[in-house]
Amino acid sequence: MARTLIGRDAELAALEQVVADAARGVPAAAVVSGDAGVGKTRLLAELRRNAEARATRVLVGRCLDLGEVGIPYLAFTELFGPLPHTTRTELFDAALVALAAAGADRPAVLIVEDAHWADTSTRELMTFLLSRLAKTRVALLISYRSDDLHRKHPLRQSLSEWTRLSYVRRVDLPALDAESSYRLLDSLPAATDVASRDVIVERSGGNPFFIEELVSAGQRPGSSIPPGLAELLLVRLDALSPTAKSVAETMAVGGPRVAHEVLAEVTGLDEDRLEDVIREIVDARLVETADFYYVFRHALLAEAIYDDVLPGRRARLHASFVDTLTEHRHRGAAADLARHAGLAHDLPKAFRAHVDAGREAMTLAAPAEAMAHLAAALELRQPQWEPTETALVLEYAVASTTAGQDLRALSVVRAELERGGDALSIPDRLDLLHAEATSALAIEREDSALVAVEQALIIADAEEFAPWRVHLTALGARITDSLGREDQSLAWAEESVRIAESLGDPGRSADARITLARLHGRHNDPAASRRLLVRTAALARESGDIGDLLRSKFNLGMVEFDDGNFLSAQESFEEAVEIARSTGRQWTPYGVGARVQLANVRYYSGDWTLALADLARIESAAPPLGSAEQLCAGFQIRAAIGDEELAADIERVRPYESQDGFITILRSAAVAYTALCNGRFSEVITCIEDAVATVGAQWHNPWFGGRIRLSVLGMEAARRGSAVIGAQAALDIGSRLHSEIERTASSSPSYGWESTAWIRRGEAELGHLRLNCGYGDAASVVAAWRAAVNAFAIQPFERARALQSLSEALEAAGDRSASAHAADEAIAIYDRLGATVRLGDTRRPAGADLLTRREWDVLELLGEGCTNKQIAERLVISVKTVSVHVSNVLTKLGAQNRTEAARFAKGKSSE
C-alpha cells in the first residue's frame, strides 16, 4: 500500500472540518461513500492518524458481511464493548452515554466502516445517535460501498434520513484522476516501465486497490487480470439469474459500451424480457446506462467477465455482433464492427470497418483514434482490396500530422515512397512528396522539406498538374521563408497565388497568401499584413480549409503581438486555440503554437495566473513534442515565482530541443534567469552561448531574433559578475555580446516592439558594464536605463527588471531619492505579479521576530534548498510536523512560497 495519501486532499479536508466542528461542540457527522477499493479505509486511516496526533480520541467499529442474518450491533460492540440493557430504549441510551463519555475529556471521532453490511438494528442505532450529537464533541463518520447499494438496498432509506440532517455531510470518493493515478504508481515499491504504467492506469480506471493489485501482479501490456482480483470482480456476476448472467456476458463481449438495439438483436430477447434482465444487471451495480448505451461501471469488470466466457461462446458472440453491426450506422458502429470482425477472424470486414472508423474519427476531431484504425487497416490490407496502400498511407499521414505526430508521418510517407518506387503514379508521388515536406517542416527539418518540394515541382511541371503546383509552391514559400531566403519565398508565394487565380479558385492559395502576409509584416507594413491575413482567413473559411484558417489566425495574432496590441493578439490566439480544439488539431504546430503564444501574451501583459492555468491543461494523450512545447511556455513565469518543480520539467523537455528551437530558447532563458538570481554568472554566459550555437545551427540562421534577448541576459551576467569574472574579461564578454546584438538587428529590415526594447536594454547594459569598469559617465547610463524602462512600458516584468537596474545606476550617480523611488516601483510590480525570485531583495519581513527556535531551524534548511522530507530527516521529526512549521514560517514572514522564505534565510545568513 502507498504510504502517502494521494489525490484525496479535498475529501480529507472535508472530514477534518467535520472533526474540527465537533471539537467546538457543534454537531458534525459525515457519510463517506465510494466503490470497493477506491480508498475509503485509507482515507479514514489518514484522518485517524492526524486526529490522534492532535490528541483526539478515535474509536473504530466495523460491520461484517455475515449473510442475511448478522450479529446485531456488532460495530458498536467493537466500539464500546458490550452495552448493558434490558430493553431497546435502554440499549440506545447506553450507547448515547458511551458516545458522550468518549468526548467528555477531549474531542473524539467515532468511525463506523462498511455500513452497507450493517444489520437493521445497527442502522437504527446510527440513526438515533446521529440525531443526538449536540454538545457531545464527537464526530460520527460512517462509510459504505456505493457499488453495493442496489435499488432496494435497506441502507438507502437510512441514508435518506441521515442526510436530511443539516450537519451530516456527504463525502463521495470518485476514482483518481490520471495525474493522481501516476503519482500513486510512483509511490509503490514495485518498478514499472512506461508502457506498463500507461496500461495499469488505463485498466485500473483510477481505483487505488486495482492499481496496487495490478502492480503487484507485474502487469504488462496484454497481461490478464490477476486471479485474485478477477475473483473479486466476478462475485456480483454469480449472484445474477442465469438469463441475466448470459446477457451480462454478451455485454462484456460487446465491448466498452453496447447500443440497446444491437444488444436486443444479438440476444434475441423480446423487449419486455430484455428490459427486465437489464434492470437486474443495473440493480446489481454491474452496468450503467448512458444515452442509448450500456456501459460497465468499471473496465476491469467487463474484462474479467469477458475472460470468464468460454472461447467457443466468445467466438459465436463476436460473429453475431458482426452480422448485427453490418446493418447499423450509429456513431461508433464502424469501430465496434472492426473489433468484432477481427476477433471473429472476418478479415475483409475488419479491414473495411477500420478504414471507415478511421475516417469517421477524423470527422469527429479524434486524429489519434484515426491513426490507430488506419494503422490496423494497413496491417490487414491485401493487394486486391480498396483503397490502395498509398491512399491509406496518405490518410494515415494526415491523421498523424493532425495528432502532432509529424515524425511518425514523415517515417511512413518515406517508407511508402521507397516501397512504391517507379511504380507510383505521378499524382500519388506528388501527394507523398507534399506530405513528406509538410512533416519535415513541422519538425524543423527545412533542408529535407525543401528537397522534397523541389523534386515534386520538377515532376509537376506540366500544365495538367497545376492544382498540385499551387500547393507545392505555397509550401515551398513557407519553407524558404523559414530558411531566410526571402526572394525565393516571395517568388513561390506569388506563383501559387497566380496559378490559383488562373484556375478560378483563389482559396487554393491561402497558404501562400499567409506567407506573403508574413513577409509584409517583416518589412514593417503590419497594416498590409493584417489586411491580407483577414482576407486569407475568409478564403480558408469559405473553402473549409481548417489548416489554413488556423495558420491565418495564428499569424494575425503574431502581427498584433509584434505591434504591441496585446488585447487583439489575445483574441486572435484564443480563436486559433478554439479552432484547433474543436477540430482535433490542438497538437498540430499551429495548434500548439497558438496555445503557447496565448500564454506568452498573458505572461507579457502580467496575467500570470491565467497563463499557468491554461498551460497546466496538458492532456494525457498529448504527443511528447507538443507536451514539451506547451510545458516550456510557462518556464519564465515559473522561474520568477520560484516553482520547485521547474528544474525537473526543464530536464523533461531537453530531449525535444532538436525538434523545436523555441524549446531551447525558452528553456535557456529560464535557466539563465535562475542562475542570475543565484549569483552563478559564468553559468548564465555558458548557457546563453550554448543556446545561441544550437538554435543558430538548427534554424540555419545564426542571427535569429531571439538571440537579442539571450545576449542581453548574458550581458547582465557579465555586468553583475564582473567582480568574480574580472573587470576586463566581463567587459570583453559584454562588448562581444553587444556587437552580436547589433549584427542580429542589422540582419532584419524591421523588428517589433519587443526586439526594440531588448536592443535598448542591451545599450543600457553595455553602458552600465563600462561604468562599473571605470569608463563612461553615470548620467548617460541613467538615461539609457530610462529609455529601456520606457521601451518595456507594456511588459510589467521586464519593466520591473529594468527599473531595478535603473535604481542601481541612480545610486551610482548619487541620486539616492530617485534610486529608492525606482526600486519601490520595481518591487510593487514584482509583488503584484507574484515574482518572488528576483535580484537584490533581501528585506527582513516584519514577522521574522515571531519565529520560534524550531521555525528558525526549518527556515535555515529551506534556505539550503531542502525538501520537507530532507528537513524531517535532518531535524528528526515527522514530515507532517515539518509541513506545519513551514506553513507557520510562511504566514509569519508574509512569504508567498518556500522560495521567498528561502531567499530571506539566505539574506539572513549573510548578515
Side-chain angles (χ1 to χ4, degrees):
M1 175 185 282
R3 295 180 179 178
T4 305
L5 185 67
I6 292 171
R8 299 300 184 203
D9 292 347
E11 293 84 359
L12 181 60
L15 294 179
E16 294 276 17
Q17 186 60 53
V18 170
V19 174
D21 289 344
R24 293 187 291 109
V26 177
V31 287
V32 182
S33 62
D35 287 356
V38 82
K40 301 179 295 299
T41 299
R42 180 68 185 83
L43 173 66
L44 292 170
E46 184 75 9
L47 178 76
R48 177 178 183 172
R49 188 173 66 177
N50 294 348
E52 289 176 339
R54 295 190 297 267
T56 298
R57 178 177 285 114
V58 181
L59 302 173
V60 180
R62 299 169 182 83
C63 302
L64 299 179
D65 183 12
L66 299 175
E68 294 183 7
V69 182
I71 301 175
Y73 310 117
L74 176 63
F76 287 95
T77 302
E78 186 179 355
L79 282 165
F80 303 130
L83 294 170
H85 66 284
T86 56
T87 67
R88 173 187 168 93
T89 300
E90 290 177 352
L91 185 145
F92 277 30
D93 287 341
L96 182 59
V97 169
L99 182 77
D105 58 336
R106 52 178 166 151
V109 179
L110 257 66
I111 299 173
V112 179
E113 292 197 61
D114 297 326
H116 53 283
W117 286 327
D119 59 279
T120 301
S121 299
T122 298
R123 290 195 303 273
E124 290 174 350
L125 179 53
M126 287 190 285
T127 300
F128 174 79
L129 294 177
L130 280 169
S131 66
R132 287 164 173 76
L133 286 176
K135 300 180 181 179
T136 62
R137 298 179 71 205
V138 177
L140 179 53
L141 308 179
I142 303 167
S143 73
Y144 68 93
R145 285 186 188 174
S146 54
D147 52 344
D148 267 19
L149 259 62
H150 53 76
R151 196 158 48 101
K152 297 180 180 180
H153 196 291
L155 185 62
R156 284 188 178 274
Q157 179 62 36
S158 300
L159 287 171
S160 177
E161 294 177 26
W162 300 345
T163 55
R164 278 201 293 266
L165 297 170
S166 61
Y167 49 82
V168 176
R169 179 179 297 193
R170 296 198 72 136
V171 178
D172 299 320
L173 268 66
L176 296 177
D177 58 24
E179 179 185 355
S180 297
S181 296
Y182 282 111
R183 285 174 55 206
L184 175 57
L185 265 180
D186 292 338
S187 72
L188 298 174
T192 54
D193 56 40
V194 174
S196 298
R197 283 163 53 84
D198 293 341
V199 168
I200 289 170
V201 168
E202 181 179 357
R203 295 179 78 188
S204 70
N207 186 295
F209 174 71
F210 293 172
I211 290 174
E212 293 174 358
E213 287 295 302
L214 292 171
V215 169
S216 297
Q219 285 290 290
R220 295 290 184 270
S223 298
S224 59
I225 301 175
L229 180 54
E231 186 176 342
L232 174 67
L233 290 166
L234 291 172
V235 167
R236 286 193 187 85
L237 182 70
D238 293 336
L240 296 176
S241 67
T243 303
K245 182 177 180 180
S246 175
V247 171
E249 290 173 343
T250 303
M251 287 178 173
V253 172
R257 62 174 194 171
V258 182
H260 177 83
E261 66 271 22
V262 172
L263 184 64
E265 289 186 36
V266 173
T267 60
L269 296 175
D270 64 68
E271 196 68 25
D272 291 341
R273 180 60 178 141
L274 180 61
E275 286 187 3
D276 289 341
V277 169
I278 289 173
R279 170 56 61 191
E280 181 182 351
I281 297 170
V282 170
D283 286 349
R285 308 283 287 171
L286 292 173
V287 167
E288 296 174 326
T289 59
D291 296 327
F292 298 102
Y293 297 92
Y294 301 113
V295 182
F296 277 92
R297 296 189 73 251
H298 199 287
L300 273 182
L301 177 58
E303 193 176 333
I305 296 174
Y306 181 88
D307 290 344
D308 197 50
V309 178
L310 293 174
R313 183 160 191 265
R314 275 205 305 260
R316 290 192 298 276
L317 284 171
H318 282 303
S320 295
F321 275 105
V322 170
D323 292 340
T324 300
L325 287 167
T326 301
E327 304 303 322
H328 281 262
R329 291 292 179 267
H330 62 268
R331 180 179 293 183
D336 291 341
L337 178 57
R339 187 176 73 87
H340 288 295
L343 291 168
H345 307 292
D346 189 341
L347 300 187
K349 282 187 178 178
F351 167 77
R352 185 67 253 173
H354 277 302
V355 173
D356 292 343
R359 291 171 178 173
E360 181 183 49
M362 288 299 290
T363 67
L364 298 175
E369 289 74 13
M371 284 179 66
H373 283 296
L374 293 170
L378 283 166
E379 284 286 330
L380 293 171
R381 190 185 176 279
Q382 296 297 310
Q384 68 274 21
W385 295 349
E386 291 291 336
T388 66
E389 184 157 347
T390 298
L392 272 181
V393 165
L394 288 167
E395 289 191 56
Y396 180 85
V398 170
S400 301
T401 299
T402 306
Q405 300 279 7
D406 295 283
L407 194 59
R408 180 62 185 153
L410 182 61
S411 174
V412 296
V413 166
R414 284 179 170 171
E416 180 61 14
L417 280 165
E418 184 175 349
R419 185 199 67 80
D422 295 337
L424 289 169
S425 67
I426 290 179
D428 280 352
R429 183 173 293 280
L430 292 176
D431 287 340
L432 287 168
L433 287 170
H434 185 276
E436 178 185 7
T438 300
S439 302
L441 176 61
I443 55 175
E444 298 189 351
R445 297 185 183 180
E446 288 90 346
D447 286 341
S448 297
L450 184 58
V451 169
V453 164
E454 288 174 338
Q455 288 178 2
L457 285 172
I458 293 172
I459 299 169
D461 192 43
E463 186 176 343
E464 63 184 293
F465 300 117
W468 279 269
R469 197 169 183 89
V470 172
H471 297 296
L472 288 166
T473 50
L475 181 56
R478 212 185 330 159
I479 296 166
T480 47
D481 176 41
S482 181
L483 289 168
R485 304 179 191 176
E486 287 193 6
D487 291 343
Q488 180 63 67
S489 178
L490 179 63
W492 267 341
E494 289 177 340
E495 181 182 350
S496 178
V497 172
R498 190 166 56 250
I499 297 172
E501 289 177 346
S502 71
L503 293 171
D505 188 4
R508 282 179 179 266
S509 62
D511 188 7
R513 292 171 188 268
I514 296 169
T515 301
L516 287 173
R518 284 173 53 85
L519 294 173
H520 278 302
R522 196 171 299 142
H523 287 272
N524 207 23
D525 192 355
S529 184
R530 273 192 206 91
R531 287 194 300 271
L532 193 50
L533 286 169
V534 169
R535 170 62 179 152
T536 302
L539 287 171
R541 201 183 293 277
E542 288 171 11
S543 65
D545 192 324
I546 300 301
D548 284 338
L549 176 61
L550 179 57
R551 187 170 172 237
S552 297
K553 291 297 181 181
F554 173 85
N555 280 283
L556 187 57
M558 292 303 300
V559 169
E560 299 293 359
F561 176 81
D562 288 341
D563 216 24
N565 302 321
F566 287 170
L567 184 58
S568 297
Q570 179 175 312
E571 290 173 352
S572 292
F573 289 133
E574 285 176 340
E575 188 173 356
V577 167
E578 178 54 28
I579 291 169
R581 185 202 62 77
S582 63
T583 59
R585 295 170 180 262
Q586 60 267 46
W587 299 114
T588 60
Y590 290 101
V592 176
R595 203 179 306 188
V596 166
Q597 290 302 331
L598 178 58
N600 199 37
V601 169
R602 287 174 173 153
Y603 158 62
Y604 273 65
S605 59
D607 197 350
W608 287 10
T609 300
L610 188 54
L612 290 179
D614 284 346
L615 293 171
R617 302 187 187 104
I618 300 180
E619 294 90 337
S620 59
L625 177 59
S627 177
E629 290 168 329
Q630 183 171 323
L631 192 63
C632 70
F635 280 178
Q636 182 60 72
I637 298 176
R638 293 171 63 190
I641 65 176
D643 188 329
E644 292 183 339
E645 297 179 0
L646 176 59
D649 284 343
I650 282 175
E651 292 306 311
R652 280 178 58 191
V653 305
R654 279 184 184 272
Y656 305 101
E657 292 187 7
S658 62
Q659 298 180 53
D660 189 344
F662 280 113
I663 294 178
T664 306
I665 293 173
L666 294 172
R667 189 266 306 164
S668 301
V671 169
Y673 179 76
T674 302
L676 190 66
C677 291
N678 285 280
R680 302 194 301 272
F681 304 114
S682 296
E683 180 182 329
V684 175
I685 295 166
T686 300
C687 174
I688 295 304
E689 290 175 342
D690 290 347
V692 165
T694 298
V695 178
Q698 189 172 341
W699 286 354
H700 310 281
N701 175 19
W703 310 111
F704 59 94
R707 181 171 185 164
I708 296 174
R709 175 189 180 187
L710 295 175
S711 296
V712 171
L713 289 175
M715 292 178 70
E716 183 178 9
R719 168 171 67 88
R720 296 188 180 280
S722 58
V724 178
I725 300 170
Q728 188 57 51
L731 187 57
D732 290 344
I733 292 169
S735 299
R736 172 174 57 78
L737 289 172
H738 188 259
S739 296
E740 291 173 1
I741 290 172
E742 291 180 324
R743 173 69 178 83
T744 303
S746 67
S747 68
S748 179
S750 67
Y751 278 106
W753 72 270
E754 184 186 9
S755 292
T756 301
W758 283 105
I759 290 169
R760 295 286 175 271
R761 186 157 150 189
E763 292 167 351
E765 285 290 358
L766 181 62
H768 207 153
L769 174 58
R770 286 173 55 80
L771 183 66
N772 288 356
C773 294
Y775 304 99
D777 64 281
S780 62
V781 174
V782 168
W785 275 117
R786 290 193 188 281
V789 168
N790 292 334
F792 280 109
I794 60 175
Q795 214 281 50
F797 180 63
E798 294 301 343
R799 176 180 172 81
R801 300 249 291 117
L803 279 165
Q804 200 168 353
S805 293
L806 171 61
S807 173
E808 295 162 4
L810 287 165
E811 179 77 19
D815 193 344
R816 293 189 173 180
S817 175
S819 173
H821 179 76
D824 287 344
E825 187 178 350
I827 290 169
I829 294 172
Y830 285 142
D831 289 345
R832 177 169 59 81
L833 294 173
T836 58
V837 179
R838 55 221 197 197
L839 289 157
D841 180 22
T842 55
R843 296 168 294 168
R844 179 183 177 85
D849 294 328
L850 302 177
L851 297 182
T852 65
R853 180 62 260 165
R854 178 60 87 189
E855 287 166 354
W856 274 110
D857 293 340
V858 170
L859 179 59
E860 288 170 1
L861 293 174
L862 284 176
E864 295 179 18
C866 293
T867 64
N868 281 9
K869 183 178 179 181
Q870 292 168 331
I871 294 173
E873 291 171 350
R874 294 273 290 273
L875 299 181
V876 196
I877 56 179
S878 72
V879 175
K880 185 72 175 178
T881 301
V882 172
S883 179
V884 173
H885 284 318
V886 170
S887 179
N888 291 339
V889 168
L890 297 181
T891 300
K892 291 178 181 180
L893 296 183
Q896 296 185 42
N897 53 39
R898 297 165 66 95
T899 303
E900 188 172 350
R903 191 175 64 253
F904 168 69
K906 292 176 183 176
K908 177 68 179 174
S909 65
S910 64
E911 290 178 2

